[in-house]
Amino acid sequence: DIQMTQSPSSLSASVGDRVTITCRASQFISSDLNWYQQNPGKAPKLLIYAASSLQSGVPSRFSGSGSGTVFTLTISSLQPEDFATYYCQQNYNIPRTFGQGTKVEVK
Amino acid sequence: QFQLQESGPGLVKPSETLSLACSVSGGSISNYYWTWIRQSPGKGLEWIGYIYYSGRTNYNPSLKSRVTISVDTSTNQFSLMLSSVTAADTAIYYCARHGRTGNYFYFDYWGQGILVTVSS
């Protein structure tokens, strides 16, 4: 299985901060990497697909980059509704696998 | 706008079979892949498997011996069966759609999730 490792596991930030989350794959996955946001008690929501493509309806403050084994999700200016847990997910191989999550908390 | 809704028992006894259904509305189940994902505190998000509307499946090898996913295009539903459950199968189970852009797939529509507890 391809292991997806996110860092940090949690972070504290303030509204307006620039936030960056890193996801590392245990082997090459090209650009086959998706990012999701999950709020408590809710299903994950797709933010970014194919490493850098913004899903329709997602605010442009979210962006993704990377290819191969290292990827980043950036929130350019954190908003109150962005305090949530974020997951990366690879679609390159079976089984599909997710990172362990990064919780963005209020500082 | 697709909407997905999971249904099934919230409590299953150890060694029995967990059975869930996912009803799809707002569009046809045809021409898409459909997947089951579960989430537990101990294991995070775990992909269980997918099915194409034609019936072709692919399962997580770690669960393959116990999992069956099926589809019924006449009712716009797909289903999950997980046999010989243990407490480790206690989780929130989500159904989701595989969206696609070119060669890239992603989970773009999700059900709200259903908590299934395995306990006697």
Side-chain angles (χ1 to χ4, degrees):
Chain A
D1 297 6
I2 298 177
Q3 307 302 317
M4 307 301 293
T5 304
Q6 291 180 230
S7 59
S9 296
S10 65
L11 64 91
S12 298
S14 301
V15 172
D17 284 354
R18 182 181 181 88
V19 169
T20 298
I21 299 168
T22 299
C23 176
R24 286 181 169 81
S26 61
Q27 64 188 75
F28 176 84
I29 60 169
S30 186
S31 296
D32 227 334
L33 188 283
N34 306 317
W35 288 98
Y36 301 86
Q37 175 194 64
Q38 187 177 33
N39 286 295
K42 301 292 188 181
K45 171 189 172 184
L46 178 67
L47 299 176
I48 301 284
Y49 65 92
S52 61
S53 296
L54 192 68
Q55 171 67 349
S56 175
V58 174
S60 59
R61 63 182 179 273
F62 291 93
S63 64
S65 65
S67 67
T69 61
V70 182
F71 304 84
T72 60
L73 172 70
T74 299
I75 309 172
S76 60
S77 178
L78 197 67
Q79 297 302 299
E81 59 269 30
D82 300 337
F83 292 100
T85 301
Y86 295 84
Y87 295 92
C88 60
Q89 175 252 327
Q90 67 80 19
N91 216 70
Y92 189 76
N93 266 0
I94 296 291
R96 313 306 190 204
T97 49
F98 293 83
Q100 83 280 13
T102 295
K103 187 173 185 179
V104 177
E105 299 175 301
V106 177
K107 193 172 194 177
Chain B
Q1 182 84 347
F2 279 84
Q3 294 182 324
L4 287 74
Q5 177 71 57
E6 304 90 350
S7 61
L11 181 64
V12 181
K13 290 182 168 55
S15 79
E16 294 189 345
T17 296
L18 177 160
S19 294
L20 297 175
C22 182
S23 296
V24 178
S25 59
S28 174
I29 205 167
S30 297
N31 300 313
Y32 289 100
Y33 289 86
W34 303 91
T35 204
W36 287 97
I37 293 163
R38 68 182 184 180
Q39 186 172 29
S40 60
K43 293 196 76 175
L45 286 160
E46 182 178 28
W47 176 77
I48 299 170
Y50 69 61
I51 189 164
Y52 193 45
Y53 78 101
S54 63
R56 184 171 73 87
T57 56
N58 211 325
Y59 301 137
N60 191 322
S62 69
L63 298 168
K64 189 173 184 177
S65 63
R66 299 193 291 131
V67 171
T68 302
I69 298 176
S70 57
V71 65
D72 186 341
T73 55
S74 66
T75 59
N76 239 31
Q77 284 191 335
F78 64 106
S79 300
L80 169 70
M81 294 180 64
L82 182 65
S83 64
S84 305
V85 297
T86 69
D89 295 309
T90 294
I92 298 170
Y93 286 76
Y94 295 102
C95 57
R97 190 191 83 161
H98 280 254
R100 179 180 184 175
T101 300
N103 292 327
Y104 295 102
F105 290 84
Y106 37 82
F107 307 126
D108 57 352
Y109 290 97
W110 295 64
Q112 65 186 27
I114 183 169
L115 174 62
V116 179
T117 302
V118 178
S119 175
S120 55

